[in-house]
Amino acid sequence: MRILVVVQRYGAEVVGGSESHARVVAQRLAMVNEVEVATTNALDYWSWAPHFPEGESMDGPVRVRRFPVTGTRSPTFKDAERHVLFEPHTLADEQAWLAMQGPHTPGLLEFLRDEGKGYDAILFYTYIYEPTAAGLPLVPERAALISTAHDEEPLRLVPYRALFQLPRAFGFLTPEERDLVHARFHNSHIPSEILGIGLEPPPWHDPEPFREHYAPRGPLVLYLGQVSEGKAVDELLADWNRYRAAGGTGSLVLAGTARMQIPKQDDIVPLGRVSDEEKYALLEAADALVLPSHLESLGIVLLEAWQVGTPCLVSAKNKVTSGQVMRAAGGASYGPGGFAAALAAVLADRDRLGASGRAYAERECTWPAFDARLEQLVDLVAN
């Protein structure tokens, strides 16, 4: 079968959940299909500045077609976004915002228009960017939309209403995403498959040095990901300080690129980016992983924590991650003011929660299980 994956950025160097998922899907499908990727030459999603060479290249068995981005994102984009998302505005304002957001790739759209009918199935990531928003309507009869949608303001914009009626099938990352899209767009008649993700077994790692270092201080609570207000790390720091002020002990370790100021405290440890081996060593050494983010399409880091038997704490504001924790019985959710109590409950039942999470990850994230779900999605489009 001949399959095309359309995504705004692509490559091993690209940091992004949707883009990483798209690359995994392309590589898995290429094991038994002819798979190509249509993407841009950008690495950075903010500026869309050129980075990769234009034209064709190979990523293992996957042929990658890179099209140039025309222009970079306007410095006034955030002002236009604020106006469209939070102030009275017109449909023309929304359309102008979509055009400003980009990435604008006329060559990619022309390729879809001219060559799209030559593919049995075309998988589009994600709903919000132009390659999908303008590209999918060119080939709706052979399109699947992996929308990676969550409950955010852009999902309410008028130009997206038609988009969510067009594909032959949807690939959702979680049941919560499916339910959100069905409730918002009344499109449950369109077939869908819940994909989740497949995971490689953890690489060799040694948690003992981290345990020996942090154990004398009390529980090791780990945050793993981008350290930014956008990921609600500021809220996590406030919750942690309230927990400590009430007599709680331990260390909060932040592993990931820092995009915000981190207070200089002995009990808050910023490590910056870590290797895969260090990541899994930290995950296994931790007494609990905490993910405070309100907006996630899929909590991959939760699955990675469960691979090594570590329970998780998530914000109750996030239906996706709360749903994952509930289905796995692998941790707890916490609301405003509830962090300390939730942490105490998880620590008191760590082994059972961690074992339940591990069983869930082993059941849902094997490659055969993921490949079967991918095959079902492709069959919904191609047949």
Side-chain angles (χ1 to χ4, degrees), residues 68-85:
V69 176
T70 302
T72 55
R73 185 177 278 179
S74 167
T76 63
F77 171 74
K78 274 298 180 185
D79 293 331
E81 182 175 63
R82 190 180 307 107
H83 172 63
V84 163
L85 299 184

Side-chain angles (χ1 to χ4, degrees), residues 202-205 224 273-283 304:
W204 181 90
H205 58 279
L224 183 63
R273 293 189 68 176
V274 296
S275 68
D276 270 359
E277 292 80 7
E278 291 169 325
K279 176 178 76 173
Y280 277 102
L282 280 164
L283 284 169
E304 292 171 334

Side-chain angles (χ1 to χ4, degrees), residues 20-358:
S20 297
H21 197 277
R23 186 165 183 254
V24 168
V25 164
Q27 296 287 336
R28 298 305 298 182
L29 288 173
M31 296 174 70
V32 292
N33 300 279
E34 180 185 346
V35 177
E36 299 179 10
V37 169
T39 187
T40 72
N41 61 340
L43 174 65
D44 169 34
Y45 76 93
W46 177 247
S47 69
W48 304 118
H51 175 82
F52 299 102
E54 299 171 22
E56 295 187 19
S57 60
M58 298 299 295
D59 179 28
V62 176
R63 183 178 300 279
V64 181
R65 300 175 182 269
R66 295 191 185 277
F67 298 89
V69 176
T70 302
T72 55
R73 185 177 278 179
S74 167
T76 63
F77 171 74
K78 274 298 180 185
D79 293 331
E81 182 175 63
R82 190 180 307 107
H83 172 63
V84 163
L85 299 184
F86 302 111
E87 298 173 353
H89 62 271
T90 66
L91 176 58
D93 292 334
E94 294 188 6
Q95 292 168 332
W97 174 79
L98 288 172
M100 290 176 68
Q101 178 179 231
H104 186 47
T105 53
L108 192 158
L109 300 180
E110 183 178 348
F111 173 77
L112 287 171
R113 190 179 295 110
D114 295 343
E115 306 292 337
K117 292 181 180 180
Y119 297 93
D120 298 294
I122 305 178
L123 312 185
F124 286 87
Y125 287 79
T126 68
Y127 85 90
I128 199 168
Y129 294 116
E130 184 181 273
T132 291
L136 190 152
L138 300 175
V139 286
E141 73 284 353
R142 64 200 66 237
L145 176 57
I146 296 93
S147 61
T148 65
H150 41 255
D151 192 8
E152 58 182 350
E153 293 300 325
L155 198 64
R156 297 168 173 81
L157 298 182
V158 172
Y160 292 125
R161 292 180 188 172
L163 178 68
F164 278 84
Q165 302 298 332
L166 292 177
R168 288 198 65 181
F170 282 94
F172 295 117
L173 301 191
T174 63
E176 289 76 23
E177 183 193 0
R178 176 200 60 198
D179 295 345
L180 170 66
V181 168
H182 286 174
R184 181 64 48 79
F185 299 104
H186 307 288
N187 57 0
S188 58
H189 59 284
I190 300 176
S192 64
E193 180 70 18
I194 296 173
L195 297 176
I197 189 66
L199 294 175
E200 294 287 351
W204 181 90
H205 58 279
D206 183 7
E208 289 308 315
F210 288 114
R211 284 178 176 152
E212 292 171 1
H213 182 73
Y214 291 105
R217 310 183 191 184
L220 167 55
V221 179
L222 174 66
Y223 169 81
L224 183 63
Q226 186 184 96
V227 181
S228 68
E229 289 93 344
K231 294 294 185 179
V233 176
D234 53 336
E235 295 180 19
L236 171 60
L237 294 175
D239 283 331
W240 178 260
N241 284 331
R242 281 191 290 268
Y243 158 77
R244 293 281 283 147
T249 62
S251 302
L252 175 63
V253 175
L254 309 174
T257 303
R259 306 286 188 189
M260 59 178 283
Q261 289 292 321
I262 301 170
K264 296 186 184 301
Q265 300 174 206
D266 290 343
D267 57 324
I268 298 176
V269 185
L271 293 183
R273 293 189 68 176
V274 296
S275 68
D276 270 359
E277 292 80 7
E278 291 169 325
K279 176 178 76 173
Y280 277 102
L282 280 164
L283 284 169
E284 188 166 345
D287 293 281
L289 174 82
V290 59
L291 184 61
S293 174
H294 302 173
L295 298 174
E296 296 290 335
S297 300
L298 176 66
I300 295 176
V301 70
L302 304 181
L303 301 171
E304 292 171 334
W306 290 329
Q307 281 186 297
V308 293
T310 297
C312 302
L313 276 170
V314 299
S315 169
K317 295 178 182 178
N318 190 324
K319 291 182 179 180
V320 168
T321 54
S322 295
Q324 283 183 249
V325 166
M326 180 185 67
R327 286 190 295 278
S333 302
Y334 62 93
F339 174 82
L343 177 59
V346 166
L347 295 177
D349 203 13
R350 183 190 187 281
D351 290 345
R352 185 187 68 81
L353 294 171
S356 180
R358 187 196 296 269

